[in-house]
Amino acid sequence: MTTISIHQPNYLPWFGFFAKVAASDVFVFLDDVAFSKGSYTNRVKFLQETKSRWVTIPIIHKQGLHINEILPSNTDWNFDHLNSVANWYRDSSAFSEIREEFESMLFDAAALGNLAEINKLLIIKLSNRLGFNCQFVSSSEFNVSTLGTERLIDIVKKIDLKGRYLSGQGGANYQDPYKFSEAGIELQYLDFEHPIYSQGVEDFTAGLSIMDAVFHVGWAQTKGFFKSVESKDK
C-alpha cells in the first residue's frame, strides 16, 4: 500500500512538515490551490536569541492566484534572508559548516522565480539531505477539480486506487473519515512529537524552520529525529 501525504509547498518548513515527508512513499505538493495571505507559503520563523522572527519572500499578490502563479516581487530576496539568518545564527554550533550549503540552496531556489517552484526545490533538497526516500509530485499534474476531502481522495486515487492517506493531526478538524472509507482509502494520522534540542537558550521554541535545528545540531542529529517516524508510519 502506498502512503501518500499532501500539503501546500511551504517555505523552509518546520519539523511537522518534514515528518510527513519522512513517513510517506509519495508526497504531493498542493500547488494549484489559492495562495493564502499570512500562511507559511512564503514565510517561516527563525530564532533571534529568545524571540522568533519572520523571514518572508516578498511577493506580487493578486486575489485568487494559485500558489504556482505567485512570483517574488524582487529577485534578490535570498541575500536578505541569508544576511538575517547569518546574524541570528553566527554563534550556533553548526552554522559555520552549514552556511555555504544553505547559501547555495537559496541561490538555486531564487533563480527559479516562481514561489511554488522555489519552495519545492528547497523541500526536495532538504529531504534528500536528510536521507528521506520519498517521491515528489505536484497536484497540478493531475488536473483534479474537486474540493475539500473529495479533492484529497481524488489525488490519492490518481496515485494508488487503494492508497493510504497520511494526514497531519489538524486534518481531523475538517476531514470526513467516512468519505475516505467509502472510497477505499485508508486514512491515517501522523503521530509525531516535536523534538527538543539545544538552541543555546533556556526556553525551547518549537515550530521554527527545520533549518533552526540544522544550524544548532547539524544534519546528522536532525536526521536522527525522524527515525521513529519513518519506521512507525511507513
Side-chain angles (χ1 to χ4, degrees):
M1 182 183 295
T2 308
T3 299
I4 301 158
S5 55
I6 303 171
H7 203 286
Q8 295 91 335
N10 287 347
Y11 179 54
L12 295 173
W14 75 299
F15 262 98
F17 189 105
F18 284 100
K20 289 175 72 174
V21 175
S24 299
D25 298 306
V26 179
F27 186 93
V28 182
F29 292 118
L30 192 63
D31 64 343
D32 58 349
V33 294
F35 172 81
S36 178
K37 189 175 180 179
S39 68
Y40 285 87
T41 315
N42 69 316
R43 63 179 189 160
V44 70
K45 286 184 175 181
F46 283 92
L47 192 65
Q48 181 187 21
E49 297 179 350
T50 59
K51 296 180 180 179
S52 59
R53 300 292 190 188
W54 287 108
V55 171
T56 305
I57 300 177
I59 59 168
I60 301 169
H61 179 239
K62 295 180 181 178
Q63 192 69 27
L65 286 180
H66 290 169
I67 295 171
N68 58 5
E69 298 172 316
I70 298 290
L71 304 177
S73 59
N74 68 59
T75 57
D76 59 357
W77 57 266
N78 53 312
F79 293 101
D80 292 336
H81 290 197
L82 181 64
N83 288 337
S84 294
V85 168
N87 286 332
W88 300 337
Y89 289 90
R90 61 180 179 270
D91 296 326
S92 301
S93 58
F95 181 72
S96 60
E97 64 184 82
I98 303 297
R99 175 174 178 156
E100 186 174 341
E101 186 175 3
F102 180 63
E103 182 176 5
S104 177
M105 287 183 182
L106 289 185
F107 183 85
D108 290 345
L112 297 175
N114 173 285
L115 182 62
E117 296 306 315
I118 287 168
N119 292 348
K120 291 176 192 178
L121 179 69
L122 291 170
I123 290 165
I124 292 171
K125 281 181 175 289
L126 289 170
S127 297
N128 290 340
R129 194 64 175 81
L130 293 166
F132 302 151
N133 183 24
C134 179
Q135 176 187 356
F136 292 93
V137 296
S138 298
S139 58
S140 54
E141 300 173 28
F142 301 128
N143 194 30
V144 171
S145 58
T146 48
L147 301 173
T149 298
E150 288 81 4
R151 184 184 188 88
L152 300 176
I153 291 171
D154 288 344
I155 291 173
V156 169
K157 292 174 76 171
K158 291 279 187 178
I159 299 167
D160 185 345
L161 289 174
K162 297 295 182 180
R164 175 193 296 120
Y165 175 60
L166 178 64
S167 171
Q169 293 292 337
N173 297 323
Y174 58 85
Q175 290 164 178
D176 185 345
Y178 175 75
K179 289 182 179 179
F180 284 95
S181 176
E182 191 176 43
I185 302 296
E186 179 183 334
L187 173 61
Q188 179 180 346
Y189 288 100
L190 180 69
D191 182 14
F192 177 72
E193 184 175 347
H194 199 300
I196 306 296
Y197 52 89
S198 174
Q199 293 175 321
V201 292
E202 184 175 348
D203 295 325
F204 181 78
T205 301
L208 306 174
S209 169
I210 195 172
M211 292 306 303
D212 179 78
V214 177
F215 292 149
H216 282 295
V217 302
W219 291 112
Q221 188 172 334
T222 303
K223 178 180 179 179
F225 292 135
F226 295 96
K227 288 189 182 299
S228 61
V229 177
E230 290 180 292
S231 61
K232 186 189 305 181
D233 292 305
K234 272 195 176 182

